[in-house]
Amino acid sequence: MEMRRGQGGFVDGSLVIARFDPTGTAIVVPKVEAFSAKSFGAVEWNIEGGDGQEFTLIWQNSYQPAKVYQRRMTRMEGPVRAIMSGDPNWTGTIGGVALLVKGKSDSPVWIKGVSIIPLGAMDALAAVGRDWFELRPWNQTSINFWAGSSAQPWVWPLVAVALVTVGSLLAYIAWYWIRRRPFTREGIAGTLLLAWLMAGTPWLVTLLRQTSTAWEQYRATGVDQLPREERDIRRFLDTISPKLADPKARVFVFSDVASLRGMLGYHLLPRKVYADPRDAKVPPASSYRPGDYLVFFVRSRVMFNPNLGKLRLDDGSLLDVAPLHMSDGNALFQVKEAK
Amino acid sequence: MGTFGWILGFLIPWLTGTMLCIRLLPSPTPGAWGWRLGYGYLLGMLLMTLLLRIESLLGGFSFWVSIALCAALVAGLYFWRRHQGLPKPAAFDASLGNSGKLIGGLLIAWLAVHGVGMLAEQAVKPIYAWDAWAQWATKAKVWFSQGHIVPFANPADWLAGKADYTDAAAHYPGLVPLLQVWTALSLGRWDDALVNLPWFGLWLSLVLATWGHARAWPLPPLTALGVTVVVGTLPFVGIHVMLAGYADLPQAVVYTLAALATIAWTRTKATHHAVTAILLLLACPFVKQPGIVWVATLLPAFLIAWRPNLGLKLTAALAGGAVLVIGALSQMDVTVLSYRLHMEFSPVWESLLANLVLFSNWNLLFWLLPVALLLGHREIRKAEWLPFVATIGFGIGFLSVVFFFTNAAAWVEDLSTVNRAILHLAPLLAFFTATLIGSVLAGVSRSVPEAAASTSPTPTNDNPEAAPATPIAAEIA
């Protein structure tokens, strides 16, 4: 895989999108041999993180090789998937696929790989069913919407339930009208309530499965089961916490990713924490007191000169600090002298 | 104190609020226990946040002092009108046939599965969503650790040394964090998952109060249960119970119960509705800043109940005046409650409609709303429905201004805030929709004035849930 737009690099075999281009997009292109559209009906991207980001599949076919087609994809349990069977532009020989990521949130994206999957008509139908009942695990955007798209743009389960309900009611009323009997109100009330329960079933299934997943994740003793962002933060906290020896000292938290900045800041409370959720900038050197801690987590442009013991801040000013921890681009410093 | 304290911290405020509600509504009206328990939890928790504020001023939070004060209040309320005794526990309607009981049991089971699932999830899932750990639980965690309320400043002021603590919204009200502080006090430690128990309690409060109001409307038991299921199983309400920590669900529950009490008061003039409406309307702005606007949406209901004809004219004048004021303010590029008004219409219909009718965030609510209006177009013109219709109209009007004429239009398109704004109104809208359909289909066209019943000093031994739902010929004058 390689990036055609945006910036990123490989960590543990995964391509990490670290930065989007000025238009807020990143494009990842995998090395895929050309294949027949008839033989393969789905594309799955194995992705971790990326809560709230918008994923779009891009492809070219042999009939109009100069044209680039797009399809928005849905984030379900596990991979990000596009069911291509039935799409009129998924035809002929597919010359290549790519992933377009639109930066809708600050959540980082780890891309592990892509799979092109054979899919028949029945499989496609089953995929529609899965779209409705498959677990949509909570992510950072769930607090804003539970459902925000469909894997099959031409099938909306909620609309289907509504239309079936309207059809049933009309048939019910027509039946009684033909038989010249007054229809019962209980029948209408029951139909409407049944429709409500049917439309609510995927939600209930999701709730119960999610509860089961949450118990597995959070009742486990280690951090390995946790979602990626939480896992990384817990590990980092376990490393730096013993080094934050002075509980009364102020702690400045910096990260390029707002969500990581806020989450890390929350976990460091009730220390006197500074983690500005709206601004990733490092305040000037005059803002610090001796003894203050500076935490850098997933933060680029951190320049520290170990020989001089000086940290260069965003405005170019220098700060005398003692390094307490440095690994994997993350760091903890303590201010020696403010200027 | 651990689990025992945690459970005690859940039950004691509930008991206190319920005792207050028993004294407000001693008589066995339909749905009375649902009303008492639903309003009881909410009022009890609001009282607890008030006690914590007072304790903080006097030196610091104390779990046992709070418990002792609540116990004293419960005892005082018990002895205040001791001759009334306590109402008997409710039983399900004995007049229901076997099939009715079976359907009723299934609907209760459906709700119970939702409740148990949400509680189980909440018990293990730590504070998860953005604002929860950026601007709400931040305060709670610090206040709990310090033992009293300490000020927060915005980041710039914090850098200037004006406070020890900062977060994303230092100026936000403290009521919601105090719910978590109380739960942590009762647990004896800060637990990222267990401090969220009040969000489950709020859902329970909403469900029970919905049942109480639906039965008192008066709807027959099964219809009232259907209304309760509709309100209690809105998917997006459930999301905010499980991913607890935001102020939107507390705002929704406080507003919904305030609005239902206000509307019930306009129909019945019963004292218990007036008292609960006033208490909850006072609490609304302390939950979240838009609470003050939600309080204003209930003004037409009061006006119409006060003088129906004059009230309608005043309501129309209010609506016109609001349009003029908003239009004028938008010319000045004013920011109100964090929303920047602008005159330019933002056509976000497509995103909004997709969110309401295609995605499953609100189940079939926005499909059923037009059905309800179609079925109940005659019903809603009646005097008893007008305050409710005006409230819903003003609520939708407020949301429309936010979505179409402020910077929130962008948040509709990316779905970032639209559902959270709708959440404040959605339970009330669901109650309106389901009750309107239920009223039409159950043939309930007139109201039962509860005033006489609620002021009756002596409870009877009748089964309150078995009270007949037969309407009587009494129109609100």
Side-chain angles (χ1 to χ4, degrees):
Chain A
M1 281 187 290
E2 62 178 21
M3 292 197 69
R4 294 278 171 86
R5 269 196 212 169
Q7 292 174 13
F10 282 89
V11 177
D12 295 335
S14 299
L15 176 64
V16 186
I17 299 177
R19 198 173 289 268
F20 294 97
D21 75 356
T23 65
T25 55
I27 292 180
V28 177
V29 182
K31 286 178 183 167
V32 176
E33 297 290 326
F35 57 89
S36 165
K38 274 185 186 171
S39 306
F40 296 90
V43 181
E44 283 188 356
W45 293 85
N46 191 350
I47 291 172
E48 276 191 287
D51 293 348
Q53 313 289 23
E54 185 180 300
F55 299 100
T56 302
L57 178 73
I58 301 175
W59 75 96
Q60 289 172 304
N61 66 35
S62 53
Y63 291 109
Q64 287 185 292
K67 198 167 178 181
V68 175
Y69 299 97
Q70 296 189 4
R71 164 79 77 81
R72 274 276 296 277
M73 293 190 286
T74 309
R75 189 71 190 274
M76 309 297 284
E77 184 179 20
V80 176
R81 178 195 303 143
I83 308 297
M84 304 308 298
S85 300
D87 190 303
N89 298 316
W90 190 255
T91 182
T93 300
I94 305 298
V97 296
L99 178 69
L100 171 74
V101 186
K102 279 192 184 170
K104 296 277 185 182
S105 75
D106 289 307
S107 180
V109 184
W110 290 265
I111 301 166
K112 289 184 164 179
V114 62
S115 307
I116 317 292
I117 302 167
L119 203 62
M122 289 309 291
D123 294 325
L125 201 60
V128 175
R130 277 203 303 275
D131 178 32
W132 206 20
F133 285 105
E134 195 162 4
L135 177 63
R136 295 166 195 245
W138 303 153
N139 59 44
Q140 290 294 344
T141 61
S142 300
I143 199 74
N144 293 328
F145 56 90
W146 173 55
S149 60
S150 168
Q152 300 284 8
W154 60 92
V155 177
W156 294 100
L158 198 63
V159 179
V161 172
L163 293 179
V164 167
T165 306
V166 170
S168 304
L169 284 175
L170 290 176
Y172 179 72
I173 292 166
W175 168 256
Y176 277 85
W177 187 73
I178 291 165
R179 302 272 303 255
R180 297 196 179 279
R181 288 179 188 172
F183 58 84
T184 61
R185 291 163 170 175
E186 289 81 0
I188 296 177
T191 306
L192 292 175
L193 191 58
L194 197 61
W196 184 274
L197 300 182
M198 274 179 64
T201 301
W203 158 245
L204 188 57
V205 171
T206 300
L207 162 64
L208 297 177
R209 292 187 59 192
Q210 181 66 51
T211 300
S212 165
T213 304
W215 275 74
E216 282 172 23
Q217 284 182 327
Y218 293 102
R219 299 300 287 182
T221 49
V223 296
D224 291 342
Q225 304 263 14
L226 291 173
R228 182 80 185 235
E229 286 183 15
E230 288 181 62
R231 196 189 329 160
D232 290 353
I233 282 182
R234 294 280 182 91
R235 282 184 177 145
F236 183 61
L237 278 171
D238 288 346
T239 309
I240 65 165
S241 290
K243 294 169 182 171
L244 296 166
D246 182 358
K248 292 187 176 175
R250 302 188 304 174
V251 183
F252 291 75
V253 177
F254 305 111
S255 172
D256 287 336
V257 184
S259 61
L260 297 179
R261 203 160 61 232
M263 213 184 290
L264 195 56
Y266 167 78
H267 283 298
L268 286 165
L269 290 173
R271 293 170 182 277
K272 294 165 186 171
V273 177
Y274 174 93
D276 190 343
R278 294 186 182 85
D279 196 349
K281 279 184 189 163
V282 178
S286 59
S287 308
Y288 307 96
R289 302 172 191 160
D292 284 351
Y293 294 105
L294 277 71
V295 178
F296 293 91
F297 184 66
V298 190
R299 178 64 157 80
S300 56
R301 308 181 309 281
V302 181
M303 285 178 281
F304 173 65
N305 186 326
N307 296 326
L308 298 174
K310 287 189 184 291
L311 188 68
R312 182 182 291 277
L313 306 181
D314 285 357
D315 65 346
S317 59
L318 298 174
L319 189 65
D320 286 331
V321 294
L324 302 181
H325 168 80
M326 280 194 285
S327 72
D328 301 329
N330 304 320
L332 170 68
F333 300 101
Q334 187 165 27
V335 179
K336 289 200 291 194
E337 182 188 349
K339 286 183 180 175
Chain B
M1 279 165 284
T3 311
F4 172 73
W6 186 62
I7 295 169
L8 200 64
F10 184 72
L11 294 179
I12 292 295
W14 196 358
L15 176 66
T16 310
T18 303
M19 198 63 207
L20 175 66
C21 289
I22 286 172
R23 286 298 173 245
L24 286 172
L25 178 60
S27 55
T29 54
W33 269 111
W35 184 86
R36 290 174 193 132
L37 289 167
Y39 278 82
Y41 179 79
L42 184 58
L43 289 174
M45 285 305 288
L46 292 176
L47 174 71
M48 193 52 75
T49 64
L50 192 63
L51 284 179
L52 290 178
R53 284 179 196 272
I54 294 168
E55 287 172 11
S56 176
L57 282 174
L58 296 176
F61 306 133
S62 167
F63 175 71
W64 290 112
V65 167
S66 307
I67 291 287
L69 286 171
C70 283
L73 190 59
V74 169
L77 286 165
Y78 177 75
F79 285 110
W80 177 37
R81 289 184 175 174
R82 196 178 174 185
H83 63 280
Q84 288 180 346
L86 293 174
K88 292 201 165 187
F92 209 73
D93 195 334
S95 68
L96 282 175
N98 285 339
S99 59
K101 283 178 184 165
L102 178 68
I103 294 168
L106 287 173
L107 290 177
I108 289 172
W110 184 263
L111 266 172
V113 172
H114 278 79
V116 170
M118 289 193 285
L119 185 61
E121 165 95 8
Q122 206 186 62
V124 293
K125 192 162 186 76
I127 290 167
Y128 180 73
W130 299 50
D131 287 359
W133 38 251
Q135 63 195 37
W136 296 107
T138 42
K139 296 179 183 72
K141 196 173 177 183
V142 169
W143 293 351
F144 170 71
S145 74
Q146 300 297 308
H148 59 99
I149 296 171
V150 294
F152 273 63
N154 65 46
D157 286 344
W158 185 89
L159 284 172
K162 291 183 181 171
D164 281 341
Y165 295 97
T166 179
D167 66 10
H171 59 291
Y172 275 15
L175 191 150
V176 168
L178 284 171
L179 296 175
Q180 291 173 322
V181 168
W182 169 249
T183 315
L185 279 171
S186 63
L187 188 63
R189 62 187 163 85
W190 183 266
D191 183 298
D192 281 336
L194 297 180
V195 294
N196 292 326
L197 185 64
W199 275 257
F200 172 75
L202 288 168
W203 174 80
L204 205 54
S205 172
L206 178 68
V207 166
L208 290 165
T210 298
W211 163 259
H213 276 289
R215 285 291 286 125
W217 192 261
L219 293 176
L222 276 185
T223 312
L225 203 48
V227 172
T228 310
V229 166
V230 167
V231 174
T233 61
L234 285 167
F236 201 68
V237 169
I239 281 280
H240 274 250
V241 176
M242 278 171 297
L243 303 181
Y246 274 47
D248 297 296
L249 182 72
Q251 179 75 84
V253 175
V254 172
Y255 173 68
T256 302
L257 267 60
L260 288 177
T262 305
I263 289 153
W265 175 79
T266 65
R267 291 163 59 88
T268 64
K269 301 295 191 295
T271 311
H272 64 286
H273 291 316
V275 172
T276 46
I278 290 167
L279 290 175
L280 295 179
L281 288 175
L282 285 173
C284 252
F286 292 96
V287 182
K288 224 182 159 190
Q289 287 178 325
I292 191 74
V293 182
W294 288 117
V295 171
T297 63
L298 289 166
L299 187 58
F302 280 111
L303 291 174
I304 293 169
W306 171 55
R307 292 274 190 279
N309 288 332
L310 179 63
L312 277 176
K313 288 172 188 162
L314 286 173
T315 299
L318 265 178
V323 169
L324 285 176
V325 169
I326 290 165
L329 289 175
S330 61
Q331 291 297 305
M332 300 175 210
D333 199 22
V334 170
T335 299
V336 182
L337 297 172
S338 307
Y339 295 110
R340 191 174 55 76
L341 287 165
H342 59 75
M343 199 57 200
E344 192 182 337
F345 175 66
S346 305
V348 288
W349 285 109
E350 198 180 332
S351 303
L352 189 61
L353 277 177
N355 180 55
L356 298 181
V357 302
L358 294 183
F359 308 152
S360 306
N361 298 308
W362 299 106
N363 199 310
L364 290 169
L365 175 60
F366 292 95
W367 288 85
L368 288 181
L369 181 60
V371 172
L373 294 173
L374 195 69
L375 284 174
H377 67 281
R378 288 202 184 100
E379 201 82 7
I380 58 175
R381 289 183 211 156
K382 292 178 180 169
E384 68 213 48
W385 274 93
L386 285 179
F388 206 166
V389 174
T391 303
I392 293 292
F394 268 69
I396 291 174
F398 167 51
L399 289 178
S400 302
V401 169
V402 170
F403 293 155
F404 295 114
F405 293 101
T406 73
N407 52 322
W411 305 336
V412 176
E413 288 193 310
D414 65 12
L415 297 178
S416 61
T417 304
V418 59
N419 287 311
R420 286 199 279 125
I422 293 169
L423 174 60
H424 299 175
L425 183 66
L428 187 67
L429 196 60
F431 183 90
F432 173 82
T433 305
T435 302
L436 184 54
I437 292 174
S439 295
V440 173
L441 295 179
V444 179
S445 59
R446 295 184 179 89
S447 63
V448 170
E450 293 173 52
S454 69
T455 51
S456 166
T458 311
T460 69
N461 289 331
D462 296 339
N463 173 11
E465 306 301 342
T470 315
I472 64 170
E475 289 267 353
I476 292 174

